[in-house]
Amino acid sequence: MKEKSYGAMDYYVSRYTHLFRHQGQHYLFAIRTTDLASITPALYSLLQEAKETNSPIEAPQKFLESLREVTAVGYKGEDDIYVREHMLGTMQRCFNQSILSLVIAPTTKCNFRCGYCFEPHKDHRVMDDRVEDALFQFTEQHAPHKRVSLLWYGGEPLLAVDRIESMLRRFEKESYSIYDHTIITNGYYLDDRVIDLFKEYPLKTVQITFDGDKTRHDGIRKDYRTGEPSYDRILANLIRAQRALPDTLFSIRVNIDARNQAEFPKIQYELLETLGGDNIDVYPGYIRTDSDDGKSLGGHAMEREDIASFISHSIDCGGCGGKFYPQLGQKGCSANSISSFVVGPSGELYKCWNDVTDPEKVVGTIFSPEVTNRQLHADYAISSLWYENPECRTCKLLPVCDGGCPYYAIRNLRQGAHYNMCSPFKDEHFFEECILSGLLAKK
Ligand code: SF4
Ligand code: SF4
């Protein structure tokens, strides 16, 4: 659809244009498209002044139109149109029902007792046949196009591998198309039987976590009954699985906090060397522990600025390959989607996987259409979205941020918590460093 032209008009620098200098060069970064351009000092001054004074840009119309093509400038009010279009995009994603997304916890049991995850009140249930039957009825009602995205979660989902197998065979028998297929596992039970199952039902991604290097990992992730360490066994399983499932991405999360962040580059290097292959990604997982009052990050968790300085260090070391270059958002979170559910072993429904096993976070069950926690359900569906936050509506980072994690937004909203939801890009120096890392990666 071609936009109607109203002839010559005033153009203003877009809110989403970031102008900066680095080592004598002048740059324009269009946040709406994530395009970067090196510009002349004269153009930089012209745009910078117009931006600071919020006045129309004095330049030939044709030139201004070419700047508008790259979203660097726009007519008055055009940024607000973008915000509403972005809102529409978010709504379309949240209300899209073409695929039913199920995060299924076939069990809440786990063979480890990691301090930041395990709580004594957590229960240890396993899904039974009755729940499986009800889940297929629920799926039939909520997946009119017979397309599902599956993510196996827990507890440790492979402690209930029989249930996973039974459900996969049933999805196949009932002619569902599995659009996306992922498992989050601690890797301890990733044995030959499991590998054979996932040869038959290919996974897009396996996510496995190491808790830092071998010593630290073994101190945390050990069998809670025998005390047996797990690093070597998980690594051996990973090597076998990675070779047997070449089309699956093995996404290896290495948990870090303020105490072990400096070790990450070495751990990453060693894992990549040991595993090889191009179906491996090793990335830092920032452990989020709460403060004693449960209203902000605490313990040794890394705050936004700590994460920014950690990433800056990776960029300085040349070890980032441009992966911190700002990316457009709109990937969103499944918790906001009306077509996405986290299913617990008893058939209870949650919206976010962080909520699994917390009875206060259950929003309903697969046995009934009734929403049992209307406040939380509405908070995930609407109140935690970026457009409910006035700061996000006028934030220049919106295209690359999308407002942060709804789980923490709701805690801020309802529990008086004060988690920092913003992107580390709020620090302009860090933002520019990440933008320029894209140039380094191209060299
Ligand atoms: S609400 Fe946050 S923690 Fe929960 S699924 Fe979404 S992004 Fe993840
Ligand atoms: S969460 Fe913060 S950084 Fe992200 S869009 Fe909202 S105000 Fe901007």
Side-chain angles (χ1 to χ4, degrees), residues 391-392 395 397-398 401-404 421-423 426:
E391 207 189 322
C392 296
C395 174
L397 293 174
L398 176 65
C401 173
D402 262 356
M421 304 283 303
C422 286
S423 159
K426 276 264 174 173

Side-chain angles (χ1 to χ4, degrees), residues 229-247:
S230 64
Y231 187 93
D232 289 339
R233 174 166 163 166
I234 293 170
L235 188 60
N237 286 349
L238 186 51
I239 291 170
R240 266 200 331 279
Q242 183 225 349
R243 288 176 192 161
L245 305 170
D247 296 328

Side-chain angles (χ1 to χ4, degrees), residues 139-164:
T139 303
E140 201 181 323
Q141 288 154 12
H142 290 80
H145 306 292
K146 297 217 110 178
R147 297 179 81 205
V148 289
S149 145
L150 300 177
L151 189 154
W152 305 106
Y153 185 68
E156 168 45 44
L158 292 179
L159 279 170
V161 66
D162 291 344
R163 183 59 58 195
I164 294 176

Side-chain angles (χ1 to χ4, degrees), residues 332-336 342 351-355 380 404-408 410:
C333 161
S334 55
N336 298 130
V342 181
K351 290 306 291 181
C352 164
W353 51 25
N354 268 353
D355 293 337
Y380 272 121
C405 162
Y407 173 81
Y408 288 102
I410 292 172

